[in-house]
Amino acid sequence: MSTKLIIIRHGQSIGNLNERFLGHTDLDLSEKGYKQAEMTAEFLSNVHIDKIYSSDLIRAYNTVFPVAQSRDLYIIKNKNLREIYAGEWENMTYDYLTKHFPKEYTIWKTDIGNARCNGGESVIELQKRIYTEFEKIAKDNDGNTICIGTHATPIRTFYAACKSINKDDMHKIPWASNASVTTAYYKNGKFEIEEYGYDKHLGELSSKFNSNI
């Protein structure tokens, strides 16, 4: 049997809107983000879902809330599904990071697989955390369809792991946009990606080119 994972990136957050690097900073969705969440729930309305997990950060939780509400399902909060811990970058503007951490932030923008937030997690540490948690969820729910609400860097690094893309080439992977849907299957001890960052259902509300986390 296989486990299907429907992985949703959170909708546009207040941090995205204000160009801040949130990490674990717990800010909510913007008005646009709430609309995106509703549209993604509608897109998935005919998809059977057995269980819903979410990062415990409010922007991820509130994105999958409409999915849960339409099915009367409980959302299981899981802190291991959080975005990267950003240390000294938490809730800082991109302009601030460019000025105060020029070397490290340039690596983030151009060579993300080798990046580390000052005082926080490295991208590879995050990748190990996320992959381990996704695999645990998949094994615990063999044969079921599971919805997961999480964040941009977790989805990007998970995709890299599934595709055996090494850290030096991770920068070639685009960001999954806000409220996009990534679909993966877990079978015989490995993941296969069916769809990455699908967001056509959002139409003009798509934030395809938004690389903020």
Side-chain angles (χ1 to χ4, degrees):
M1 298 183 72
S2 66
T3 306
K4 181 178 180 179
L5 300 186
I6 298 171
I7 305 160
I8 303 174
R9 183 191 170 186
H10 66 77
Q12 185 191 66
S13 68
I14 294 171
N16 295 153
L17 186 62
N18 295 322
E19 298 188 340
R20 290 182 174 272
F21 198 108
L22 290 190
H24 288 191
T25 303
D26 204 12
L27 296 183
D28 203 354
L29 298 174
S30 67
E31 182 179 350
K32 178 179 177 178
Y34 273 102
K35 291 178 181 177
Q36 290 173 329
E38 292 286 350
M39 293 175 76
T40 295
E42 177 61 26
F43 171 67
L44 296 172
S45 61
N46 293 321
V47 177
H48 174 75
I49 293 173
D50 295 290
K51 199 177 292 184
I52 301 177
Y53 292 78
S54 176
S55 158
D56 61 346
L57 299 177
I58 193 168
R59 60 191 186 273
Y61 181 91
N62 282 343
T63 298
V64 296
F65 181 79
V67 179
Q69 188 177 41
S70 65
R71 294 166 172 80
D72 198 27
L73 288 175
Y74 175 77
I75 300 173
I76 302 167
K77 292 183 180 181
N78 185 331
K79 67 180 182 180
N80 289 328
L81 299 173
R82 287 183 178 189
E83 181 55 270
I84 195 167
Y85 172 56
E88 296 175 57
W89 298 11
E90 288 282 331
N91 203 24
M92 295 295 104
T93 65
Y94 297 117
D95 286 345
Y96 179 92
L97 296 179
T98 298
K99 179 178 179 181
H100 293 274
F101 303 103
K103 179 181 177 181
E104 295 86 354
Y105 189 51
T106 296
I107 293 173
W108 173 271
K109 291 189 293 182
T110 63
D111 187 19
I112 191 167
N114 291 295
R116 175 185 290 276
C117 305
N118 294 72
E121 278 183 297
S122 73
V123 168
I124 293 303
E125 288 168 348
L126 165 71
Q127 183 184 51
K128 291 177 180 177
R129 164 165 65 85
I130 289 298
Y131 191 92
T132 297
E133 200 60 37
F134 278 15
E135 187 172 50
K136 182 179 185 300
I137 290 170
K139 288 180 177 179
D140 288 347
N141 294 279
D142 187 33
N144 290 332
T145 298
I146 306 301
C147 179
I148 297 177
T150 186
H151 307 261
T153 321
I155 298 171
R156 192 178 188 185
T157 59
F158 175 67
Y159 179 88
C162 294
K163 294 291 187 178
S164 299
I165 297 170
N166 66 43
K167 64 179 183 177
D168 296 325
D169 290 327
M170 200 182 295
H171 68 278
K172 298 176 182 178
I173 304 168
W175 293 102
S177 57
N178 291 121
S180 64
V181 178
T182 295
T183 308
Y185 289 87
Y186 185 79
K187 187 176 182 179
N188 297 326
K190 64 179 294 186
F191 283 104
E192 291 187 6
I193 300 288
E194 181 183 71
E195 186 85 50
Y196 176 69
Y198 182 88
D199 69 350
K200 291 181 180 178
H201 59 284
L202 297 175
E204 293 181 355
L205 283 186
S206 169
S207 44
K208 177 69 78 177
F209 302 105
N210 177 9
S211 63
N212 303 344
I213 68 164

